[in-house]
């Protein structure tokens, strides 16, 4: 095998696919990058959960396929000088990498030892604008659970119905939901769960443009393709929380608040939380004002934020990071903070009462003295 390509193009391809390498796998081939030179140059990584492959332009002199250690190859290509890189592999599977006066020799194995990628069956295809999908993932992925005892919640639920796509993430303490109108070319309802690690990869290959990316849904796998790059991942299976039943629709009080003012107040009162200290911040909702406070064993902080709305001094404890995440995901200057009691879920959404994005967060029990 022998080919020549631009160093920067090869480096970007290696960086992209190596996320799916499996450095701790007992299978040597899965620790590496499969490089296949044929009509074009394809780089592939597969960790048995998801696969990423991409095609790049190259001047291919001799075809073939080998597997090279992903970590080592990544470091070598990154440290190469800019310019044309020539890669050749001899009959003993020794790889020679040259760029100018810089040379490396690496040991590889035959590409025949690399496992086959999963096949997509009974596909349903969707074309979604890249900027919309990227934004929806960013606004919900932070609420995905990391609890391996409930694997179904280690991904986000996709629902596509009546021209609307909804993405929902739940971790047991909060729920993030985002809706957008799309043209899915059918009247049927689609429901599938995409693992968070794959969502992160998909978000990174999307651009800010309105150009579409292709999402294919099979019975066991999902694939996403943008340009010459394809990501294939397993679907998560199981019963996902019904967000229609979980999210309250009626509230005793709604408070209209400037998002930046509330965010700054949260930052100020939580300053005393150091060394990973897990103490709630207390919000007291009153008449035209929200009073915030926090108390630790050695310190106390107080602040306030003006708002529109009133309640009879309802006290609610929150994890400060959960509130920050919700505020960051709302691209509006003003928000609605919707409450019932001090022990019931709260909903945060845009001040226009638009439910295209909402965040539900469960309160934290306040101990005496908070």
């Amino acid at each position: 095998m022998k080919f020549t390509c631009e160093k920067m193009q090869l480096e970007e391809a290696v960086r992209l696919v190596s996320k799916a390498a499996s450095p701790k796998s007992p299978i040597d081939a899965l620790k590496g990058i499969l490089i296949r030179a044929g009509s074009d140059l394809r780089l592939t990584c597969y960790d048995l959960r998801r696969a990423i492959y991409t095609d790049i332009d190259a001047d291919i002199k001799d075809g073939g396929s080998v597997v090279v250690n992903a970590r080592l190859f990544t470091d070598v290509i990154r440290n190469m000088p800019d310019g044309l890189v020539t890669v050749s592999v001899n009959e003993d599977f020794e790889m020679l990498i040259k760029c100018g006066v810089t040379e490396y020799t690496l040991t590889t194995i035959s590409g025949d030892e690399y496992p086959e990628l999963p096949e997509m069956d009974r596909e349903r295809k969707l074309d979604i604008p890249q900027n919309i999908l990227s934004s929806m993932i960013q606004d919900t992925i932070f609420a995905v659970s990391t609890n391996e005892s409930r694997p179904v919640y280690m991904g986000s639920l996709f629902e596509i119905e009546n021209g609307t796509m909804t993405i929902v993430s739940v971790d047991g303490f909060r729920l993030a939901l985002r809706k957008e109108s799309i043209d899915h070319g059918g009247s049927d309802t689609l429901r599938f769960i995409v693992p968070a690690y794959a969502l992160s990869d998909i978000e990174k290959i999307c651009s800010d443009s309105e150009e579409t990316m292709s999402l294919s849904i099979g019975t066991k796998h999902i694939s996403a393709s943008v340009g010459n790059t394809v990501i294939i991942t397993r679907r998560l299976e199981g019963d996902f929380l019904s967000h229609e039943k979980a999210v309250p629709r009626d509230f005793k009080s709604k408070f209209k608040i400037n998002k930046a003012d509330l965010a700054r107040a949260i930052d100020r009162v939580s300053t005393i939380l150091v060394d990973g200290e897990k103490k709630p911040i207390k919000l007291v909702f009153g008449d035209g004002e929200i009073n915030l406070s926090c108390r630790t064993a050695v310190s106390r902080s107080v602040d306030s934020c003006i708002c529109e709305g009133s309640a009879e001094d309802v006290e609610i404890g929150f994890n400060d990071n959960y509130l920050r995440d919700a505020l960051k995901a709302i691209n509006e200057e003003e928000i609605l903070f919707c409450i019932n009691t001090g022990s019931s879920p709260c909903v945060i959404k845009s001040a226009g009462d638009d439910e295209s994005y909402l965040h539900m967060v469960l309160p934290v029990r306040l101990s005496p003295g908070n």
Side-chain angles (χ1 to χ4, degrees), residues 147-162:
N147 186 350
E148 294 183 356
S149 67
R150 306 178 74 187
V152 69
Y153 295 120
M154 296 181 72
S156 295
L157 172 69
F158 281 60
E159 285 186 341
I160 300 166
E161 184 177 18
N162 298 326

Side-chain angles (χ1 to χ4, degrees), residues 58-260:
D59 180 11
I60 299 172
K61 303 294 186 183
D62 297 306
S65 64
V66 297
V67 180
V68 61
N69 182 275
R71 183 197 62 79
L72 187 56
F73 191 67
T74 299
D75 290 344
V76 165
I77 299 302
R78 183 177 63 248
N79 286 293
M80 278 283 187
D82 292 340
L84 290 175
V85 175
T86 298
V87 178
S88 58
V89 181
N90 64 22
E91 294 180 354
D92 295 323
F93 292 101
E94 288 184 340
M95 175 182 283
L96 177 64
I97 308 169
K98 298 179 64 175
C99 184
V101 297
T102 305
E103 293 186 8
Y104 290 91
T105 302
L106 307 180
T107 300
T108 69
I109 60 176
S110 171
D112 295 337
E113 297 186 28
Y114 208 79
E116 292 291 329
L117 301 189
E119 293 184 2
M120 297 290 296
D121 59 342
R122 289 192 286 173
E123 297 178 33
R124 175 64 191 277
K125 293 186 177 181
L126 303 170
D127 290 325
I128 305 171
Q130 294 179 43
N131 57 342
I132 289 179
L133 182 60
S134 175
S135 175
M136 294 181 76
I137 292 173
Q138 290 176 23
D139 289 349
T140 53
I141 194 171
F142 59 83
V144 170
S145 175
T146 57
N147 186 350
E148 294 183 356
S149 67
R150 306 178 74 187
V152 69
Y153 295 120
M154 296 181 72
S156 295
L157 172 69
F158 281 60
E159 285 186 341
I160 300 166
E161 184 177 18
N162 298 326
T164 299
M165 181 168 74
T166 304
I167 300 181
V168 184
S169 299
V170 180
D171 68 1
F173 304 99
R174 54 185 170 171
L175 176 150
L177 178 149
R178 173 80 184 272
K179 294 182 179 181
E180 286 289 346
S181 297
I182 66 165
D183 180 12
H184 78 293
S187 58
D188 55 328
T189 299
L190 299 175
R191 285 174 58 93
F192 52 92
I193 305 168
V194 184
Y197 56 78
L199 287 173
S200 179
D201 293 335
I202 292 170
E203 189 272 326
K204 287 181 173 63
I205 66 172
C206 290
S207 69
D208 291 332
S209 74
E210 296 181 0
E211 293 183 9
T212 60
M213 58 88 66
S214 178
L215 195 66
S216 299
I217 301 98
T219 55
K220 294 184 178 180
H221 294 86
I222 296 159
S223 74
S225 60
V226 175
N228 295 325
T229 301
V230 177
I231 297 171
I232 304 173
T233 181
R234 289 179 180 175
R235 292 175 56 165
L236 293 180
E237 301 295 338
D239 294 327
F240 203 91
L241 176 74
S242 172
H243 59 87
E244 294 93 345
K245 296 179 180 179
V247 178
R249 299 298 173 186
D250 299 316
F251 300 95
K252 292 181 179 179
S253 302
K254 293 183 179 181
F255 292 83
K256 186 177 181 180
I257 315 164
N258 181 278
K259 184 182 74 170

Side-chain angles (χ1 to χ4, degrees), residues 251 253-255 336-340 345-349 353:
F251 300 95
S253 302
K254 293 183 179 181
F255 292 83
L336 278 182
F337 212 118
C338 309
I339 66 171
N340 282 312
C346 304
V347 168
I348 303 170
K349 54 186 177 179
D353 218 3

